[in-house]
Amino acid sequence: PIAISKSFKLNSFLSPQAKMSRPVQARRLEGIDKNIWVEFVKLAATYSTVNLGQGFPDFPPPDFLKKAFVRALSGENHMLHQYTRGFGHPPLVKILAQFFGKLLGRDLDPMTNVMVTVGAYQALFCCFQAFVDEGDEVIIIEPFFDCYEPMVKMAGGMPVFVQLRPKAPKDGQLMSSADWQLDPAELASKFSERTKAIVLNSPNNPLGKVFSREELELIADLCVKHDVLCISDEVYEWLVYDGKEHIRIASLQGMWDRTVTIGSAGKSFSATGWKVGWTVGPNRLLQHLRTVHQNSAYHCATVAQEAVAQGFQRELELYGKPESYFIQLPKELQQKRDWLVQSLDAVGMKPIIPEGTYFLVADISEFKSDVPDVPDSSEPYDSRFAKWMVKNKGLAAIPLSAFYCGAHKNNYNHFIRFCFAKEEATLKAANDVLQKWKWEKTSP
């Protein structure tokens, strides 16, 4: 009897009828399974000798931050190895409330106006899950950081796209990210009674555009008029160049009550792997983010939060002074930006000079002889070019079409995005690749 029972169980287990036939994938995942980073990170790891693709520094965080982490890790406070407050380590939310309260000109309650997340990425996820219902429309400005569209769709929402459109620069001048602008009438036409939110990313990834006060006031006026929320992704808030000013849309009239501002220690302190982000906003909005957070990630790494808290304490004390990391870092990155601009321009890739961020976008039209177009290909030209470049030249970058919705991917398909937040040696290696490439193109 025992043998029969075992045989029966084994046969049942191996029977074709025992396999699941019903669909296992949730409908909200349909069409969003592909991810540009999975594909290009794998390509870069396989082929590239110089990676200017993914947006992270290859230089270390500042010494004071690393020392703060070591103190937190090896100090006598053993509770830093355990759970802390789920919505944010108390020392961190307190200093963030002080710091951003100063910047926004208002008193912030650390327990209700600030929430810490697993990077800015989780902050975005919490926003879309908390605010977007089935059928709600969310306006996304193109080009956009690629996770906005799938996150809106996962929440049941409908992304509505409005494009930044380039204006030709004066003869002989390189284009600036400021030359990419919203059409006020086109933007206004995207707002309707179904609009729940607009996503703002300034400074913008991938272009490096820093939205002007006039542009932000245009967006703010439409948000107030149509009673729409603003999800403001400001992770590159300190990385602005040429004397530009980063203006926080939550500081504009009528916007505090309808804006969630998202920040990132990874971008602020050059420590992207720590995954410490935050949201700042009114309790009427953040209370719903807390509901999503407590039912998803729930908690962020305590030691990393403690170190970031100490980093912000230092920056508050040095605010506006030359020794501030938030002043030193953009100065260093502006030099790296200018160096890469010169390298690209010298070989015929026309760079768009960014006003902020880690990134610059370059026009590759002059290189079409290297990678001829394929008229019947469904893949955008810049995507094929970027793959060819990493495989044949060892230089990794990201196609600009990755930052557009499916219907618009071919509108601006002759641009690629480079990251210049790299060591000098990395940028020099990239220049060497470009110079060799130029020589190969021009030599008989």
Side-chain angles (χ1 to χ4, degrees):
I2 293 174
I4 293 172
S5 175
K6 284 183 177 178
S7 174
F8 174 78
K9 286 181 180 178
L10 182 61
N11 288 336
S12 298
F13 179 74
L14 295 175
S15 169
Q17 285 76 22
K19 294 180 180 178
M20 288 191 70
S21 57
R22 63 161 58 181
V24 294
Q25 176 185 317
R27 284 196 305 274
R28 62 181 171 273
L29 299 185
E30 290 175 6
I32 63 171
D33 53 329
K34 290 184 179 179
N35 183 285
I36 185 72
W37 307 111
V38 173
E39 183 178 14
F40 273 86
V41 168
K42 183 178 179 181
L43 277 171
T46 305
Y47 295 101
S48 80
T49 53
V50 186
N51 187 356
L52 301 187
Q54 205 172 357
F56 61 86
D58 64 356
F59 50 82
D63 285 344
F64 67 83
L65 196 73
K66 290 191 291 182
K67 289 176 181 175
F69 195 100
V70 171
R71 281 196 303 271
L73 189 69
S74 58
E76 295 182 1
N77 184 359
H78 64 274
M79 290 308 296
L80 293 177
H81 299 278
Q82 310 306 328
Y83 294 129
T84 186
R85 176 176 171 268
F87 303 124
H89 188 46
L92 179 54
V93 292
K94 286 175 184 175
I95 192 63
L96 289 174
Q98 279 183 267
F99 198 96
F100 286 97
K102 178 184 177 78
L103 297 176
L104 294 167
R106 60 174 60 243
D107 291 330
L108 300 183
D109 183 333
M111 299 297 133
T112 60
N113 295 140
V114 181
M115 186 183 80
V116 177
T117 55
V118 183
Y121 213 86
Q122 195 225 345
L124 287 162
F125 182 80
C126 286
C127 285
F128 295 125
Q129 289 295 319
F131 301 141
V132 179
D133 266 328
E134 195 78 30
D136 283 345
E137 292 184 354
V138 178
I139 298 171
I140 298 175
I141 300 168
E142 291 183 305
F144 58 90
F145 183 52
D146 68 300
C147 77
Y148 299 161
E149 180 183 9
M151 284 188 182
V152 168
K153 289 180 175 178
M154 282 182 71
M158 289 276 295
V160 173
F161 301 98
V162 59
Q163 295 180 41
L164 291 165
R165 301 187 183 278
K167 296 184 177 181
K170 293 179 182 177
D171 289 344
Q173 292 188 0
L174 290 174
M175 184 178 282
S176 162
S177 59
D179 294 322
W180 292 62
Q181 298 175 5
L182 290 167
D183 179 281
E186 183 183 9
L187 177 64
S189 73
K190 303 297 181 180
F191 284 78
S192 73
E193 61 182 15
R194 296 183 299 278
T195 307
K196 186 65 175 290
I198 183 170
V199 185
L200 173 67
N201 178 208
S202 181
N204 167 273
N205 174 13
L207 278 177
K209 176 182 174 63
V210 177
F211 283 72
S212 67
R213 182 175 293 275
E214 183 181 15
E215 290 171 312
L216 294 176
E217 286 175 345
L218 168 68
I219 294 169
D221 290 346
L222 288 166
C223 285
V224 172
K225 178 182 178 181
H226 294 276
D227 198 23
V228 165
L229 297 171
C230 180
I231 300 168
S232 187
D233 180 350
E234 302 183 20
V235 298
Y236 299 101
E237 59 193 320
W238 303 110
L239 306 182
V240 292
Y241 313 123
D242 304 317
K244 294 286 181 182
E245 180 188 9
H246 170 64
I247 298 167
R248 293 165 174 81
I249 196 168
S251 68
L252 301 186
Q253 186 174 358
M255 290 306 291
W256 165 256
D257 198 46
R258 63 181 68 254
T259 302
V260 173
T261 302
I262 295 172
S264 162
K267 302 304 191 295
S268 298
F269 290 111
S270 307
T272 59
W274 290 20
K275 295 298 291 180
V276 176
W278 56 82
T279 60
V280 174
N283 185 49
R284 65 179 287 268
L285 299 182
L286 261 61
Q287 63 179 331
H288 305 301
L289 301 190
R290 292 194 291 269
T291 301
V292 177
H293 180 72
Q294 73 192 19
N295 289 295
S296 52
Y298 181 69
H299 186 276
C300 312
T302 307
V303 169
Q305 290 188 72
E306 173 71 17
V308 171
Q310 292 182 36
F312 265 103
Q313 185 64 54
R314 176 191 188 270
E315 288 304 299
L316 183 61
E317 293 166 4
L318 294 176
Y319 184 76
K321 296 179 181 178
E323 312 94 278
S324 165
Y325 187 70
F326 295 164
I327 289 179
Q328 291 177 346
L329 180 61
K331 284 184 178 179
E332 293 174 11
L333 287 177
Q334 183 171 324
Q335 291 179 337
K336 294 174 186 292
R337 177 203 69 173
D338 293 346
W339 206 83
L340 186 57
V341 164
Q342 292 173 6
S343 295
L344 292 168
D345 189 35
V347 299
M349 282 192 192
K350 293 301 179 187
I352 300 167
I353 301 176
E355 303 159 281
T357 75
Y358 285 163
F359 308 108
L360 69 79
V361 169
D363 188 331
I364 54 174
S365 299
E366 296 294 319
F367 285 72
K368 281 214 166 183
S369 60
D370 291 289
V371 189
D373 207 349
V374 180
D376 297 328
S377 174
S378 60
E379 184 176 15
Y381 176 77
D382 59 347
S383 178
R384 290 191 298 106
F385 183 95
K387 290 177 183 178
W388 177 90
M389 186 173 72
V390 72
K391 291 177 181 178
N392 292 275
K393 301 299 179 182
L395 179 60
I398 302 294
L400 188 64
S401 60
F403 303 94
Y404 283 86
C405 70
H408 299 158
K409 283 189 182 299
N410 280 307
N411 291 9
Y412 301 100
N413 66 357
H414 53 287
F415 296 97
I416 55 177
R417 190 201 76 174
F418 294 94
C419 175
F420 55 85
K422 303 295 179 182
E423 293 270 20
E424 287 183 17
T426 308
L427 296 175
K428 184 181 184 303
N431 182 65
D432 291 344
V433 170
L434 292 167
Q435 289 297 331
K436 182 182 178 186
W437 192 352
K438 180 186 178 183
W439 181 82
E440 291 169 347
K441 282 173 67 67
T442 56
S443 62

